Amino acid sequence: MVNYMKRSSVDRSKLSPMMKEYVELKDNYEDCIVFYRLGDFYEMFFDDAITASRELELTLTGKSAGLKEKVPMCGIPHHAYSSYIDTLIEKGYKVAIAEQLEDPKKVKGTVKRDVIQVITRGTRLDNNLDSKNNNYIANIYDFSYCKGISYTDISTGEFFCELLEKDNEDIIRNIIKHGFRELIVNDTIDRELINTLRVNYGILITITKNIYEQDDYQYIYQDIEDIRLKTTIKHLLHYILDTKKGDLHHLKKCELVKKTNTLIFDNNTKKNLELIETIRSRDRQYSLLWLLDKNKTAMGSRYLKLQIENPITDKNELERRYHFVEKISTEFIIRDELRTTLDEVYDLERLSGRISYGNLNARDMLQLKRSLNALPKIKKLLTSLDYDKEIETLDEVASLLEKTIKEEPPLSLKEGSIIKDGYNSELDELRKLSSGSKDFILNIEKDEKERTGIKTLKVGFNKIFGYYIEVSKGQKHLVKDEFGYERRQTLANCERYITKELKEKENIILGAEEKIVNLEYKLFMDIREIVKRYISKIQKVAKIISEVDMLQSFSIVSDENKFVKPNLVNTKELNLIECRHPVVEKVMKDKYVSNDISMDQNTNILLITGPNMAGKSTYMRQCAVTIIMAQIGCFVPCKSATMPIFDKIFTRIGASDDLVSGESTFMVEMKEANYAISEATENSLILFDELGRGTATYDGMSLAQAILEYIHDKIKAKTMFSTHYHELTILEKDLKHLKNIHVSAQEKDGKVTFLHKVKIGAIDKSYGINVASLARLPKDLIKRSEEILNIYENHNKKQETFTQTSLFEMTEEEVEKKIEQNEFEEAIRGIKPLEMSPMEALNFLYELQKKYDI
């Protein structure tokens, strides 16, 4: 049975030297699981072992550590640690890697060990990162009256910062939109905010007040003028430098996020419009990103995702992108060559990060070489397209790598066979010596067979005895003293011997091979240091290639789907002719029904009525998606498109409770409506789908009307408002900037056909029961709902809701009788006897008698 003793409870004076070293090291990494290197394994002890054994499904054992009882221990092979780290990181743990800093062969006693890096969700620099997504680590620095936020992707070097002066909800909205998975905060921050981010959104949070005080990374924040933002950046820098413990000079200068430069929308809008992933499966497939991503490089895919999440508002830049998309489409032969060549370019951004930090291998260098070899052709093709940015081909780096790195090097840098022949004379000499000695060893077997006459004689090698001569049991009697054989090992079917000459050659071979491995490692490190000098240039090339790749992707998608170039105007005219939803059109089997979306200078609100399933939500979504596509520089799914540049988009589409915070559908609706009407400007787009349906009918209708009037009179934003409250359509008479439109449907013989065509004017029927019928609800239920609807429509007033489930078990005769009874009772309740004349009362009774056959 394993003893579950804790580190805090042991008598440290009795611990073995190795375990004492461990517990002292662990004291500095209380919030981490320490992977402690012992030979070919990473071991974990005490609480770390208990946790890791549970999370990684490892066998929990014990280790003698100088105490009466063994301490808890579990371990993993050092060469396979990556997958175990992945599991722990995803579960929200931090992992500290403690390596041997000395060669055990050269040290007497305990080998010195220390943590060489801490790996967390936001600080990964390995090959296991998702190539198409950024991996940001962020911080919040609370200044009491405002908060600074900075964030960086350590793997690519991108760095951003901004100030937020609003409440916690705005902070949370910002963090969730960017998808931060790890957050560093200072110690004065609101604990309720921290708890919400941890519990509701699963973000890994570390609290620290430490600030970076050195000058080595001053270049990152020296161009930022606001002292608050400098403090924020230095707060994040301290954490990542303390965590990674390596060279991070590939980190770029921090960019100040300017809200006026981007089209702003929150995470709800990103989710509702399915920009990055679908709502149902939370998968990239069938999202806008999936449709537009025809990139050939990982850098291009990440840049496209960044643009979709942060569309721009610079008209000149957008028209520049349109120009090159059009140019690339026209020069389709050049485009094909460009795509083929881009296919040869690896992830230069993340390669730069690994080169700087030092955790790269020879295969990474090969990827860099192949990428650089493609640059001259890319440069030539861009010149043919008159592209306005020029890439530097870095021929000297490509030439160096061509001369040095072998084509098929091993993964490890400590195995040799990395450097090409002819680069280093000392290495060449050692290789000649080693290969010559090996040839000699091969000849020994032949010579010894001839000298001794032992036909089964073999020369072999193992790590314990080195080179040896092996003779089978059946012929060992042929071994004579004059051969000079010295017995070393007896096996079941053979004897193994060594000779003085064999040992001399062994020393030469093994000595040369060890020197070769050490020299190759040193030469590789020297090459890496040379390449490091070019990191900033490689990053500039990567940025240009990212944009070029994205633009050629837009060209491909636009040609395939018949997208058109938008016409950006300075007025408030929005005119999307025969607009389609690009993703829905791509995946649906039937022909997509296009629709015009027209809001001239005098129209700000489209009030949309129509049946469920007719396409109101899709109609609204395609408007927003088209605008986002236009504001990232892509052509759009229309026959023609004239539009202004929008500053913000707000959406409330779909009904869902916020299960995380426990808020109802209606509360979520009202919060999102409040966010929109408090933040929107006249240059914004607002999409409200059936707002107010989460509460009682008249409450919802009243709120919907008030919100429409507020948007119409005070905000003046372009708004699409779908509703089932047909009473609201009368607003067109009083609100001069509101226009009624409807999605049409046809009803024939009780069956409804959705035409998905948007027409001018209102509609006064929802066809809800028809939709229920299409959903194959029970026929008796559908019939009953039609009867109740008929009562409501005939009385044209609020009536008692019929909920008796027993009606569904009645016969038709009983149901009709029950309906008659209810109608009769309602008629009686409706009279006012004291206000009736005798004649009116007699007439009323006569009509009742006649109608109900009394």
Side-chain angles (χ1 to χ4, degrees):
M1 184 175 177
V2 177
N3 179 23
Y4 285 83
M5 74 172 72
K6 295 189 175 182
R7 178 170 51 90
S8 57
S9 64
V10 302
D11 183 351
R12 296 193 177 192
S13 65
K14 295 180 180 179
L15 290 172
S16 64
M18 186 280 291
M19 191 56 67
K20 189 175 182 181
E21 179 193 57
Y22 167 80
V23 295
E24 289 173 354
L25 184 149
K26 173 65 182 174
D27 287 344
N28 297 321
Y29 297 92
E30 293 283 0
D31 62 342
C32 301
I33 292 177
V34 176
F35 279 22
Y36 192 73
R37 182 71 176 269
L38 287 178
D40 289 336
F41 284 82
Y42 285 118
E43 304 289 4
M44 287 144 276
F45 304 103
F46 296 106
D47 302 48
D48 283 0
I50 295 166
T51 301
S53 66
R54 180 183 69 246
E55 301 290 6
L56 300 175
E57 299 181 4
L58 300 172
T59 302
L60 187 65
T61 61
K63 181 174 178 63
S64 299
L67 305 172
K68 287 183 180 179
E69 297 175 314
K70 292 182 177 181
V71 304
M73 179 183 83
C74 67
I76 57 171
H78 81 93
H79 63 273
Y81 77 101
S82 180
S83 61
Y84 293 103
I85 285 182
D86 288 345
T87 302
L88 291 174
I89 296 299
E90 283 305 309
K91 291 188 175 187
Y93 295 98
K94 300 179 180 181
V95 179
I97 307 294
E99 286 288 357
Q100 297 172 169
L101 303 182
E102 301 171 311
D103 186 345
K105 296 175 185 175
K106 299 176 182 178
V107 177
K108 290 183 179 180
T110 305
V111 175
K112 185 178 179 181
R113 296 173 181 84
D114 203 354
V115 171
I116 61 164
Q117 68 167 318
V118 176
I119 303 174
T120 66
R121 283 180 180 173
T123 60
R124 303 194 67 168
L125 267 167
D126 51 57
N127 286 315
N128 290 348
L129 287 170
D130 181 352
S131 64
K132 294 196 172 187
N133 288 301
N134 281 100
N135 186 49
Y136 291 119
I137 180 170
N139 76 319
I140 303 175
Y141 199 93
D142 187 4
F143 294 99
S144 72
Y145 58 92
C146 74
K147 293 178 176 65
I149 289 184
S150 64
Y151 52 99
T152 180
D153 183 339
I154 297 176
S155 69
T156 65
E158 297 157 287
F159 216 126
F160 306 93
C161 66
E162 60 181 305
L163 278 179
L164 296 177
E165 300 180 2
K166 299 193 177 178
D167 56 20
N168 283 354
E169 279 196 19
D170 191 61
I171 301 290
I172 292 170
R173 197 178 287 119
N174 202 290
I175 289 167
I176 301 308
K177 179 192 171 182
H178 286 97
F180 300 144
R181 302 182 67 212
E182 182 174 5
L183 200 60
I184 317 304
V185 297
N186 63 330
D187 54 350
T188 62
I189 200 149
D190 178 9
R191 291 304 192 269
E192 187 179 336
L193 172 62
I194 297 308
N195 187 59
T196 300
L197 291 170
R198 270 182 176 153
V199 176
N200 293 1
Y201 299 101
I203 297 174
L204 176 64
I205 296 177
T206 302
I207 302 174
T208 175
K209 61 182 178 181
N210 295 323
I211 301 288
Y212 174 71
E213 302 289 0
Q214 309 303 316
D215 296 327
D216 286 355
Y217 293 87
Q218 188 177 8
Y219 73 92
I220 292 175
Y221 51 81
Q222 65 185 8
D223 293 340
I224 302 294
E225 295 179 358
D226 194 311
I227 189 66
R228 296 169 297 180
L229 284 175
K230 284 188 176 181
T231 301
T232 303
I233 295 165
K234 289 195 280 186
H235 178 241
L236 180 57
L237 268 177
H238 181 277
Y239 179 81
I240 59 178
L241 291 169
D242 185 58
T243 300
K244 298 314 292 177
K245 303 180 185 298
D247 188 350
L248 296 177
H249 277 91
H250 68 286
L251 294 177
K252 302 172 188 176
K253 286 185 177 183
C254 188
E255 293 181 39
L256 177 61
V257 176
K258 296 179 180 177
K259 298 292 187 184
T260 55
N261 293 347
T262 57
L263 168 60
I264 298 168
F265 49 79
D266 67 0
N267 194 59
N268 284 323
T269 296
K270 185 169 83 170
K271 184 170 69 175
N272 287 336
L273 299 178
E274 299 185 307
L275 299 180
I276 305 301
E277 61 185 22
T278 58
I279 294 172
R280 179 173 294 180
S281 66
R282 302 200 67 181
D283 190 62
R284 184 188 184 102
Q285 190 172 15
Y286 305 134
S287 67
L288 179 64
L289 176 60
W290 163 80
L291 178 78
L292 299 183
D293 190 1
K294 302 294 183 184
N295 289 279
K296 286 295 186 177
T297 68
M299 301 175 292
S301 291
R302 286 197 303 271
Y303 188 67
L304 170 61
K305 181 172 181 282
L306 180 68
Q307 294 303 299
I308 291 175
E309 292 175 323
N310 302 276
I312 60 176
T313 57
D314 185 333
K315 184 180 178 185
N316 291 332
E317 174 59 20
L318 288 171
E319 289 180 338
R320 171 189 164 271
R321 292 183 185 181
Y322 299 155
H323 166 74
F324 285 112
V325 171
E326 191 171 46
K327 181 78 172 175
I328 293 168
S329 289
T330 304
E331 301 288 351
F332 55 87
I333 294 175
I334 295 176
R335 181 180 68 188
D336 290 346
E337 287 186 63
L338 181 61
R339 284 174 59 80
T340 301
T341 312
L342 286 171
D343 220 5
E344 299 169 17
V345 178
Y346 290 83
D347 197 337
L348 292 174
E349 288 179 325
R350 287 187 169 159
L351 283 173
S352 296
R354 292 202 290 275
I355 290 166
S356 175
Y357 187 66
N359 65 330
L360 79 163
N361 55 37
R363 295 185 187 182
D364 292 328
M365 282 295 199
L366 269 186
Q367 289 185 0
L368 177 60
K369 182 192 80 172
R370 289 165 186 163
S371 301
L372 297 181
N373 285 342
L375 295 186
K377 186 165 185 183
I378 292 174
K379 181 176 182 178
K380 182 181 176 183
L381 293 169
L382 294 183
T383 302
S384 302
L385 292 168
D386 296 323
Y387 194 66
D388 57 358
K389 296 178 183 178
E390 188 173 345
I391 62 172
E392 192 173 348
T393 54
L394 304 175
D395 298 333
E396 59 274 31
V397 183
S399 176
L400 172 67
L401 298 178
E402 185 62 52
K403 290 187 295 186
T404 55
I405 308 299
K406 284 189 171 183
E407 286 305 317
E408 294 183 2
L411 280 171
S412 170
L413 296 177
K414 298 291 182 73
E415 293 180 24
S417 196
I418 297 172
I419 307 298
K420 284 183 176 180
D421 292 336
Y423 175 65
N424 180 274
S425 57
E426 182 184 354
L427 179 62
D428 291 344
E429 286 299 317
L430 286 169
R431 280 177 173 162
K432 283 181 184 177
L433 182 62
S434 176
S435 63
S437 300
K438 284 182 178 179
D439 290 340
F440 178 81
I441 292 296
L442 293 173
N443 290 328
I444 281 181
E445 185 175 301
K446 180 183 175 184
D447 294 342
E448 287 299 302
K449 282 181 178 179
E450 291 178 0
R451 184 167 76 93
T452 62
I454 302 173
K455 303 297 182 184
T456 59
L457 182 148
K458 295 178 182 177
V459 175
F461 176 84
N462 66 32
K463 289 183 179 180
I464 299 171
F465 298 114
Y467 286 98
Y468 55 81
I469 294 171
E470 184 177 287
V471 179
S472 65
K473 286 282 190 186
Q475 294 195 316
K476 73 174 184 178
H477 65 280
L478 300 176
V479 176
K480 300 176 181 177
D481 291 343
E482 60 262 29
F483 294 167
Y485 284 13
E486 181 183 335
R487 182 183 285 110
R488 269 299 171 91
Q489 187 180 25
T490 300
L491 298 177
N493 58 353
C494 66
E495 296 282 348
R496 288 177 177 175
Y497 307 88
I498 61 169
T499 66
K500 184 179 178 182
E501 184 183 24
L502 197 59
K503 281 288 130 186
E504 287 175 355
K505 287 298 179 181
E506 177 187 303
N507 291 334
I508 293 172
I509 292 170
L510 297 183
E513 288 182 350
E514 185 177 354
K515 287 178 182 178
I516 287 169
V517 169
N518 292 336
L519 181 56
E520 286 201 62
Y521 180 78
K522 179 184 178 301
L523 291 172
F524 183 83
M525 290 296 107
D526 291 343
I527 294 164
R528 195 200 82 188
E529 289 303 311
I530 295 171
V531 175
K532 269 177 73 172
R533 299 173 203 159
Y534 293 85
I535 282 179
S536 63
K537 291 184 176 181
I538 294 171
Q539 288 176 327
K540 287 177 184 175
V541 169
K543 191 169 185 177
I544 294 172
I545 286 180
S546 299
E547 185 191 58
V548 169
D549 198 12
M550 181 184 75
L551 295 178
Q552 70 79 21
S553 180
F554 289 167
S555 167
I556 290 285
V557 174
S558 297
D559 286 355
E560 286 180 353
N561 299 284
K562 295 182 173 60
F563 296 166
V564 298
K565 181 166 72 172
N567 176 31
L568 302 179
V569 294
N570 296 322
T571 64
K572 287 192 67 179
E573 179 189 358
L574 177 65
N575 201 23
L576 308 178
I577 304 301
E578 294 186 20
C579 182
R580 298 108 58 198
H581 192 298
V583 180
V584 176
E585 180 185 39
K586 192 74 176 176
V587 299
M588 72 183 298
K589 295 176 182 177
D590 300 326
K591 189 178 186 305
Y592 189 89
V593 178
S594 61
N595 278 298
D596 296 349
I597 301 174
S598 295
M599 284 190 265
D600 58 24
Q601 302 250 45
N602 295 316
T603 305
N604 288 334
I605 301 175
L606 294 180
L607 184 61
I608 312 167
T609 50
N612 290 312
M613 285 182 61
K616 298 192 300 296
S617 297
T618 301
Y619 180 71
M620 297 167 73
R621 283 189 176 99
Q622 72 192 41
C623 177
V625 167
T626 299
I627 288 164
I628 288 169
M629 288 173 66
Q631 289 190 221
I632 63 175
C634 186
F635 286 10
V636 295
C638 303
K639 187 175 182 180
S640 69
T642 300
M643 55 171 281
I645 290 176
F646 288 86
D647 62 355
K648 300 172 185 176
I649 294 179
F650 304 91
T651 67
R652 173 58 196 172
I653 300 175
S656 60
D657 294 358
D658 188 344
L659 298 177
V660 172
S661 63
E663 291 178 343
S664 68
T665 297
F666 185 63
M667 177 57 82
V668 173
E669 276 189 347
M670 292 302 101
K671 281 193 170 185
E672 291 182 12
N674 178 59
Y675 173 60
I677 62 179
S678 61
E679 296 290 330
T681 73
E682 64 177 354
N683 297 317
S684 302
L685 175 70
I686 300 174
L687 306 179
F688 282 159
D689 188 17
E690 298 181 34
L691 194 68
R693 63 182 166 179
T695 188
T697 301
Y698 292 114
D699 283 353
M701 192 189 307
S702 304
L703 280 164
Q705 179 172 336
I707 288 170
L708 279 169
E709 290 173 353
Y710 188 92
I711 294 171
H712 181 275
D713 297 338
K714 297 192 175 183
I715 303 175
K716 301 179 175 64
K718 295 291 187 190
T719 303
M720 303 177 79
F721 196 111
S722 75
T723 185
H724 281 298
Y725 301 137
H726 299 115
E727 295 85 348
L728 295 177
T729 58
I730 200 170
L731 291 174
E732 187 179 50
K733 294 178 181 178
D734 299 320
L735 304 182
K736 63 180 180 179
H737 301 301
L738 180 148
K739 184 167 73 174
N740 283 321
I741 61 172
H742 68 275
V743 188
S744 57
Q746 281 183 346
E747 187 178 9
K748 188 176 181 181
D749 299 329
K751 293 184 179 179
V752 66
T753 303
F754 301 114
L755 303 178
H756 304 292
K757 200 67 184 173
V758 175
K759 297 180 179 179
I760 302 297
I763 196 170
D764 60 0
K765 191 172 182 181
S766 289
Y767 299 97
I769 293 175
N770 302 80
V771 174
S773 179
L774 289 174
R776 298 177 185 272
L777 267 68
K779 289 181 180 179
D780 52 352
L781 187 153
I782 297 295
K783 184 176 180 182
R784 176 60 181 153
S785 65
E786 288 171 344
E787 292 165 349
I788 296 170
L789 176 65
N790 185 52
I791 294 170
Y792 280 135
E793 290 179 341
N794 286 340
H795 284 268
N796 196 27
K797 59 191 274 189
K798 189 174 180 182
Q799 299 285 350
E800 179 186 355
T801 302
F802 297 99
T803 58
Q804 298 97 320
T805 55
S806 62
L807 286 178
F808 298 123
E809 297 167 8
M810 294 180 181
T811 65
E812 273 189 48
E813 239 178 275
E814 289 172 326
V815 169
E816 285 174 11
K817 189 174 178 182
K818 185 69 178 175
I819 291 170
E820 279 188 6
Q821 181 185 335
N822 288 329
E823 288 177 347
F824 181 79
E825 289 173 357
E826 286 299 319
I828 295 295
R829 288 193 190 101
I831 67 170
K832 296 180 179 179
L834 296 178
E835 297 176 10
M836 300 172 75
S837 68
M839 184 57 69
E840 286 172 334
L842 284 170
N843 287 335
F844 177 76
L845 287 171
Y846 175 74
E847 290 297 328
L848 277 182
Q849 188 181 39
K850 182 180 175 184
K851 183 174 181 180
Y852 295 105
D853 195 25
I854 295 173

